[in-house]
PDB file of all heavy atoms in Angstrom:
ATOM      1  N   VAL B 874     -16.844   3.113 -10.559  1.00  0.00           N
ATOM      2  CA  VAL B 874     -17.232   4.456 -10.917  1.00  0.00           C
ATOM      3  C   VAL B 874     -16.781   4.847 -12.321  1.00  0.00           C
ATOM      4  O   VAL B 874     -17.210   5.931 -12.817  1.00  0.00           O
ATOM      5  CB  VAL B 874     -16.672   5.475  -9.931  1.00  0.00           C
ATOM      6  CG1 VAL B 874     -17.216   5.248  -8.533  1.00  0.00           C
ATOM      7  CG2 VAL B 874     -15.166   5.395  -9.905  1.00  0.00           C
ATOM      8  N   CYS B 875     -15.938   4.005 -12.957  1.00  0.00           N
ATOM      9  CA  CYS B 875     -15.502   4.369 -14.313  1.00  0.00           C
ATOM     10  C   CYS B 875     -16.658   4.168 -15.324  1.00  0.00           C
ATOM     11  O   CYS B 875     -17.174   3.070 -15.422  1.00  0.00           O
ATOM     12  CB  CYS B 875     -14.313   3.544 -14.747  1.00  0.00           C
ATOM     13  SG  CYS B 875     -13.830   3.888 -16.423  1.00  0.00           S
ATOM     14  N   PRO B 876     -17.046   5.215 -16.030  1.00  0.00           N
ATOM     15  CA  PRO B 876     -18.202   5.049 -16.910  1.00  0.00           C
ATOM     16  C   PRO B 876     -17.866   4.266 -18.207  1.00  0.00           C
ATOM     17  O   PRO B 876     -18.777   3.862 -18.897  1.00  0.00           O
ATOM     18  CB  PRO B 876     -18.525   6.540 -17.253  1.00  0.00           C
ATOM     19  CG  PRO B 876     -17.276   7.258 -17.118  1.00  0.00           C
ATOM     20  CD  PRO B 876     -16.509   6.570 -16.016  1.00  0.00           C
ATOM     21  N   VAL B 877     -16.603   4.096 -18.493  1.00  0.00           N
ATOM     22  CA  VAL B 877     -16.298   3.385 -19.787  1.00  0.00           C
ATOM     23  C   VAL B 877     -15.489   2.118 -19.628  1.00  0.00           C
ATOM     24  O   VAL B 877     -14.873   1.691 -20.535  1.00  0.00           O
ATOM     25  CB  VAL B 877     -15.474   4.435 -20.682  1.00  0.00           C
ATOM     26  CG1 VAL B 877     -16.368   5.578 -21.069  1.00  0.00           C
ATOM     27  CG2 VAL B 877     -14.258   4.915 -19.971  1.00  0.00           C
ATOM     28  N   ASN B 878     -15.573   1.488 -18.506  1.00  0.00           N
ATOM     29  CA  ASN B 878     -14.880   0.229 -18.322  1.00  0.00           C
ATOM     30  C   ASN B 878     -13.384   0.310 -18.570  1.00  0.00           C
ATOM     31  O   ASN B 878     -12.763  -0.561 -19.152  1.00  0.00           O
ATOM     32  CB  ASN B 878     -15.445  -0.863 -19.195  1.00  0.00           C
ATOM     33  CG  ASN B 878     -16.682  -1.512 -18.591  1.00  0.00           C
ATOM     34  OD1 ASN B 878     -16.677  -1.751 -17.391  1.00  0.00           O
ATOM     35  ND2 ASN B 878     -17.679  -1.739 -19.402  1.00  0.00           N
ATOM     36  N   ALA B 879     -12.800   1.468 -18.209  1.00  0.00           N
ATOM     37  CA  ALA B 879     -11.379   1.677 -18.403  1.00  0.00           C
ATOM     38  C   ALA B 879     -10.463   1.069 -17.359  1.00  0.00           C
ATOM     39  O   ALA B 879      -9.297   0.972 -17.491  1.00  0.00           O
ATOM     40  CB  ALA B 879     -11.035   3.114 -18.676  1.00  0.00           C
ATOM     41  N   THR B 880     -11.112   0.757 -16.210  1.00  0.00           N
ATOM     42  CA  THR B 880     -10.332   0.071 -15.157  1.00  0.00           C
ATOM     43  C   THR B 880     -11.147  -1.068 -14.652  1.00  0.00           C
ATOM     44  O   THR B 880     -12.306  -0.875 -14.206  1.00  0.00           O
ATOM     45  CB  THR B 880      -9.867   1.007 -14.081  1.00  0.00           C
ATOM     46  OG1 THR B 880      -9.133   0.286 -13.059  1.00  0.00           O
ATOM     47  CG2 THR B 880     -11.059   1.685 -13.389  1.00  0.00           C
ATOM     48  N   VAL B 881     -10.651  -2.302 -14.822  1.00  0.00           N
ATOM     49  CA  VAL B 881     -11.427  -3.489 -14.566  1.00  0.00           C
ATOM     50  C   VAL B 881     -10.544  -4.530 -13.886  1.00  0.00           C
ATOM     51  O   VAL B 881      -9.329  -4.340 -13.765  1.00  0.00           O
ATOM     52  CB  VAL B 881     -11.998  -4.134 -15.840  1.00  0.00           C
ATOM     53  CG1 VAL B 881     -12.930  -3.218 -16.513  1.00  0.00           C
ATOM     54  CG2 VAL B 881     -10.871  -4.449 -16.773  1.00  0.00           C
ATOM     55  N   HIS B 882     -11.118  -5.601 -13.413  1.00  0.00           N
ATOM     56  CA  HIS B 882     -10.332  -6.665 -12.705  1.00  0.00           C
ATOM     57  C   HIS B 882      -9.999  -7.778 -13.636  1.00  0.00           C
ATOM     58  O   HIS B 882     -10.816  -8.253 -14.450  1.00  0.00           O
ATOM     59  CB  HIS B 882     -11.147  -7.204 -11.532  1.00  0.00           C
ATOM     60  CG  HIS B 882     -10.462  -6.921 -10.212  1.00  0.00           C
ATOM     61  ND1 HIS B 882     -10.273  -5.674  -9.720  1.00  0.00           N
ATOM     62  CD2 HIS B 882      -9.953  -7.762  -9.313  1.00  0.00           C
ATOM     63  CE1 HIS B 882      -9.641  -5.738  -8.581  1.00  0.00           C
ATOM     64  NE2 HIS B 882      -9.407  -6.983  -8.317  1.00  0.00           N
ATOM     65  N   SER B 883      -8.740  -8.257 -13.478  1.00  0.00           N
ATOM     66  CA  SER B 883      -8.341  -9.435 -14.303  1.00  0.00           C
ATOM     67  C   SER B 883      -8.712 -10.709 -13.613  1.00  0.00           C
ATOM     68  O   SER B 883      -9.013 -10.634 -12.422  1.00  0.00           O
ATOM     69  CB  SER B 883      -6.822  -9.400 -14.579  1.00  0.00           C
ATOM     70  OG  SER B 883      -6.142  -9.955 -13.481  1.00  0.00           O
ATOM     71  N   ASP B 884      -8.660 -11.844 -14.331  1.00  0.00           N
ATOM     72  CA  ASP B 884      -9.026 -13.115 -13.696  1.00  0.00           C
ATOM     73  C   ASP B 884      -8.103 -13.454 -12.548  1.00  0.00           C
ATOM     74  O   ASP B 884      -8.502 -14.055 -11.596  1.00  0.00           O
ATOM     75  CB  ASP B 884      -8.803 -14.197 -14.760  1.00  0.00           C
ATOM     76  CG  ASP B 884      -9.700 -13.984 -15.979  1.00  0.00           C
ATOM     77  OD1 ASP B 884     -10.663 -13.182 -15.790  1.00  0.00           O
ATOM     78  OD2 ASP B 884      -9.544 -14.601 -17.041  1.00  0.00           O
TER      79      ASP B 884
END
Side-chain angles (χ1 to χ4, degrees):
Chain B
V874 296
C875 175
V877 291
N878 277 321
T880 181
V881 297
H882 242 64
S883 83
D884 300 343

